[in-house]
Amino acid sequence: MLWNLRKARPLWITNLQEDETEEMESPQSPGQLLNPALAHSVSVASCGNVFSCGAEDGKVRIFRVMGVKCEQELGFKGHSLGVSQVCFLRESYLLLTGGNDGKIKLWDVSSEIEKKHKSPTKHTHRKKTKRAAYTKQGGGTHASVTGEDEHGKILPKLSIEHGEKVNWLLSTKIKGYRNILVADQTSCISVYPLKEF
């Protein structure tokens, strides 16, 4: 919902479950349950008129505020289980997502958003970046580089196998380097480096 706080009433409302009608028409195996598209997390980009929504159906949706309504710019399957957290990095269209599947992913949605509109945000990340995958195994973190997708499908720039359901995440600078802080169901905060972004 997009609210007018002066009048305490919504200006725009969307139903994320309407987005599922196409998928429900596809064949489904017997006994397969569908997760409803309940919104878990919302994050607003630095430009102020673009926001993301992470939902229980595992999808990430990107919207643009256009006056008194919003238009969905992009939607993609981000996680195999619900997307519990979404967080835009400052001054960019780099989007962190955390899921109930125990994964943390970094997406660059700038090219999809900028196809339709020019943005006032600074893009210091415009150079072509390689995709890296980090896997936490036995206390260590391992990285591997993946290739570009030739079909135009959005692929994560970074994928971290955290192992626990992500309850909260944030990008912040620590000692001059960008990091991801992650809270899960344990009593510890995990820190992952974002040096190349």
Side-chain angles (χ1 to χ4, degrees), residues 12 20 28 49 57 63 70 91 100 140 151 155 185-186 191:
W12 172 85
E20 295 178 2
Q28 187 176 328
N49 68 337
D57 61 359
F63 294 89
C70 298
E91 301 297 327
N100 294 343
H151 302 294
L155 294 175
Q185 296 173 337
T186 66
V191 180

Side-chain angles (χ1 to χ4, degrees), residues 9-194:
R9 65 181 174 94
L11 297 172
W12 172 85
I13 299 172
T14 189
N15 183 350
L16 298 180
Q17 292 178 353
E18 290 173 0
D19 194 26
E20 295 178 2
T21 54
E22 298 169 4
E23 293 173 17
M24 293 180 108
E25 293 172 5
S26 64
Q28 187 176 328
S29 63
Q32 182 180 1
L33 298 174
L34 293 175
N35 286 334
L38 304 172
H40 283 288
S41 179
V42 174
S43 178
V44 179
S46 296
C47 65
N49 68 337
V50 171
F51 66 94
S52 63
C53 172
E56 180 62 29
D57 61 359
K59 285 187 180 177
V60 176
R61 293 165 178 86
I62 310 291
F63 294 89
R64 180 179 298 274
V65 178
M66 309 284 288
V68 295
K69 64 180 183 134
C70 298
E71 292 181 8
Q72 185 170 330
E73 299 272 313
L74 179 62
F76 57 92
K77 187 76 170 174
H79 291 266
S80 59
L81 297 174
V83 180
S84 56
Q85 290 291 298
V86 290
C87 178
F88 273 109
L89 274 61
R90 297 187 76 188
E91 301 297 327
S92 74
Y93 287 128
L94 290 173
L95 179 68
L96 278 172
T97 63
N100 294 343
D101 58 4
K103 294 182 180 161
I104 301 159
K105 297 182 181 183
L106 179 69
W107 310 86
D108 185 352
V109 296
S110 61
S111 60
E112 295 297 320
I113 291 172
E114 291 172 350
K115 282 180 185 177
K116 295 183 179 181
H117 302 277
K118 293 295 177 195
S119 168
T121 60
K122 289 192 280 183
H123 293 287
T124 55
H125 66 282
R126 297 299 290 166
K127 66 180 181 183
K128 249 194 178 183
T129 56
K130 293 181 180 178
R131 296 187 219 297
Y134 291 88
T135 306
K136 193 166 86 171
Q137 295 176 343
T141 303
H142 304 282
S144 63
V145 178
T146 61
E148 297 286 327
D149 179 44
E150 64 263 5
H151 302 294
K153 182 180 172 187
I154 295 178
L155 294 175
K157 295 284 186 190
L158 175 70
S159 184
I160 300 170
E161 185 67 47
H162 179 67
E164 297 283 336
K165 175 186 177 290
V166 176
N167 288 338
W168 173 84
L169 56 76
L170 176 73
S171 169
T172 189
K173 283 193 175 181
I174 300 174
K175 295 184 180 180
Y177 293 102
R178 193 178 281 186
N179 293 277
I180 305 170
L181 302 180
V182 181
D184 52 35
Q185 296 173 337
T186 66
S187 60
C188 299
I189 300 289
S190 300
V191 180
Y192 297 99
L194 268 179

